[in-house]
Amino acid sequence: MVNGVGAIDSRLLGHLFSSAPMHGVWDDAARLQGMLDFEAALARVQSRLGVIPQTVGEAVSEKAKADLFDLDAIGEKVPLGGNIAIPLVKALTAKVEGAASGYVHWGATSQDVIDTGFMLQARAGIAVLRADLVRLGGACAVLADAHRATPMVGRSFMQHGLPTVFGLKAAGWLDTVGRLIARLDTVAEQSLALQFGGAVGTLASLGADGAAVRDQLAAELGLPVPPTPWFTMRERIVEIGSALGAIAGIMGKIAGDIVLLMQTEVGEVFEPSAPGKGGSSTMPHKRNPVGAATARGAAIQAEARAGALYQIMDQQHERAVGGWQAEWGLVPELFVLTAAAIAPLIAVIEGLEVKAERMRANLEITNGLIFAEAVMMKLAPMIGRDVAHHVLEGASKRAVAEGLHLKAVLTESDEVRAHLDEAEIAAIFDPLGYVGSAEIFIERALEHWRSSRASDEG
């Protein structure tokens, strides 16, 4: 098999668009082991229930270890049957000794093996993503707490809007990461499930024992048992994919914020520096946002795969043609790319250099126009909001036209001075004087984060 085609497995790109822990959850050995875990658990349960001889469970479990199998040999045979389960079951049967070999895969079908193996992998993958998000959220919490009173420009339509504080931006990241963790928890609880239905979902091959085997098999594997087999009802897969797509999307958004704040003209934050990191092949002075760029690149690829999962929900009758098979590539890549979108952001946020002095300097770029709403709201109770808006609109236009600071224009305005003296006007131009409930919002985000993590520990 040729290496280096897909980004997540490329020797050249894999360190960018892969995550070692997540890759270990979804590599070929892990895929094989998930399926073998199903076969071993099935044999043990059926042995206990007396459906098959009691010695079979132990005999199958002893051989159900991925390192005993030749992955290349199995892979070469996959095209003949159209899925991994067929050659794997044959290989497992050949390894189980004696009469026990005749009871391997008893009453099961290929999709039972593949889907349940996938669910075991997804459970492990969700745990990896959750741990990464907890670490990322912890870094965001540190920033939110440290920069409660670090004023900066709040931007609307990419333009200077009003003053805010960097701690609130970080708190917004934190709050969203917390929700993503909660969503993963919900997916783990509601979307993971055993798949075991036999040929068309009736388990007819097990006669009266089908439901009992199914229930105990779910317990053996630690997976929920749904009321019916779900061969072609793939909303479970889409729910998992949707949660990962949302994670990837938010990683792209946070990375995008950092990229914009790192622009030369802005210069309000910088990724942590390291020898050889962020340089240019031709411009020696460059300090590129490589971590954020990598996160965005992985996120875009992950979102594409998450979106594609919606296209495979229309599956035919009891067994699908094409849609199910498409999941085998889409879902593992989605997990790996989502993890790859989180990983660089952890390093970026944990080591983020915040330039508070540049943030404050940028507040003055508009010569005070960023405080126009603050002055308007100060005047509104005295002259009405519409009149105050008209006064500030005119003052702002004059400030721009004549290159004056808004404060100077207002100080000369008879309409304004009739209600505000010079000291009152000057006081309005304190950035921290017009950040509203930012401190409350930050504290609420931090408290929710702390209580959620305390629940984890509990």
Side-chain angles (χ1 to χ4, degrees):
M1 186 65 65
V2 177
N3 291 321
V5 176
I8 66 173
D9 288 319
S10 169
R11 295 181 185 179
L12 300 177
L13 296 176
H15 294 289
L16 270 184
F17 297 123
S18 187
S19 152
M22 188 62 80
H23 201 281
V25 170
W26 291 99
D27 65 15
D28 285 336
R31 191 191 298 258
L32 211 64
Q33 191 58 59
M35 297 166 65
L36 290 168
D37 287 345
F38 168 88
E39 294 289 358
L42 176 65
R44 291 194 299 271
V45 165
Q46 291 176 331
S47 292
R48 286 201 302 266
L49 291 175
V51 176
I52 60 178
Q54 292 184 354
T55 57
V56 175
E58 182 179 348
V60 174
S61 296
E62 182 181 342
K63 300 298 182 180
K65 298 176 176 61
D67 58 4
L68 298 179
F69 293 81
D70 184 338
L71 273 65
D72 290 329
I74 291 174
E76 289 170 1
K77 295 184 175 81
V78 167
L80 295 174
N83 68 63
I84 304 171
I86 293 173
L88 174 61
V89 170
K90 289 182 179 179
L92 176 60
T93 301
K95 287 187 181 299
V96 175
E97 298 174 357
S101 65
Y103 295 95
V104 172
H105 196 64
W106 192 258
T109 193
S110 294
Q111 191 162 355
D112 292 329
V113 187
I114 293 171
D115 279 357
T116 301
F118 161 79
M119 284 292 173
L120 296 175
Q121 289 178 277
R123 182 171 64 191
I126 287 170
V128 171
L129 291 177
R130 192 185 196 282
D132 286 349
L133 287 175
V134 168
R135 183 174 169 187
L136 178 64
C140 291
V142 170
L143 285 179
D145 190 30
H147 294 282
R148 297 168 183 257
T150 302
M152 69 176 298
V153 174
R155 295 169 171 89
S156 171
F157 282 76
M158 300 289 285
Q159 306 293 308
H160 285 209
L162 298 173
T164 184
V165 290
F166 183 63
L168 183 58
K169 183 180 286 289
W173 298 340
L174 172 65
D175 184 44
T176 301
V177 169
R179 290 199 307 275
L180 293 174
I181 293 170
R183 186 171 181 183
L184 277 182
D185 291 342
T186 299
V187 164
E189 180 181 352
Q190 298 182 1
S191 300
L192 299 180
L194 173 75
Q195 176 73 283
F196 186 51
V200 294
T202 63
L203 284 177
S205 58
L206 295 180
D209 297 315
V213 170
R214 189 166 178 268
D215 292 345
Q216 291 201 27
L217 178 58
E220 183 82 6
L221 292 170
L223 289 171
V225 56
T228 64
W230 46 278
F231 288 133
T232 51
M233 303 298 179
R234 307 307 284 183
E235 84 284 351
R236 295 179 186 278
I237 307 300
V238 174
E239 286 165 358
I240 295 170
S242 177
L244 269 61
I247 293 170
I250 290 300
M251 295 306 106
K253 183 275 186 290
I254 295 174
D257 282 351
I258 292 166
V259 169
L260 293 172
L261 292 174
M262 276 187 69
Q263 289 183 104
T264 304
E265 295 82 357
V266 180
E268 294 181 355
V269 305
F270 287 94
E271 291 190 3
S273 61
K277 182 177 184 289
S280 164
S281 63
T282 184
M283 294 171 283
H285 65 284
K286 291 292 295 297
R287 185 173 176 183
N288 293 321
V290 293
T294 300
R296 284 175 62 79
I300 290 167
Q301 295 178 75
E303 290 170 309
R305 285 154 178 80
L309 289 177
Y310 286 91
Q311 300 176 38
I312 53 86
M313 293 186 72
D314 182 14
Q315 298 195 6
Q316 302 77 24
H317 296 304
E318 282 67 51
R319 302 298 290 277
V321 181
W324 175 51
Q325 290 80 358
E327 294 173 8
W328 304 342
L330 288 171
V331 176
E333 291 177 359
L334 174 55
F335 268 90
V336 172
L337 287 164
T338 301
I342 302 172
L345 280 185
I346 293 174
V348 168
I349 298 295
E350 287 182 341
L352 195 68
E353 297 177 19
V354 179
K355 303 298 184 181
E357 69 287 351
R358 184 63 179 263
M359 290 180 174
R360 183 173 282 274
N362 284 343
L363 283 162
E364 294 298 322
I365 286 177
T366 60
N367 278 338
L369 294 182
I370 198 170
F371 296 97
E373 184 192 84
V375 181
M376 181 188 75
M377 296 307 293
K378 188 75 172 180
L379 287 172
M382 307 169 195
I383 61 176
R385 186 188 180 282
D386 286 347
V387 175
H389 187 281
H390 178 73
V391 169
L392 266 297
E393 186 177 38
S396 297
K397 288 180 179 179
R398 182 189 168 198
V400 172
E402 300 181 20
L404 298 173
H405 196 283
L406 181 61
K407 181 166 60 175
V409 174
L410 296 175
T411 302
E412 296 175 3
S413 169
D414 292 338
E415 292 174 293
V416 175
R417 290 299 298 275
H419 303 283
L420 300 173
D421 61 30
E422 188 171 344
E424 289 173 315
I425 293 171
I428 296 172
F429 287 80
D430 172 14
L432 292 176
Y434 199 67
V435 293
S437 300
E439 170 66 26
I440 295 173
F441 298 153
I442 292 168
E443 186 52 43
R444 286 179 177 176
L446 287 168
E447 179 52 37
H448 186 266
W449 177 257
R450 295 184 195 112
S451 63
S452 297
R453 302 292 69 77
S455 298
D456 285 349
E457 294 173 5

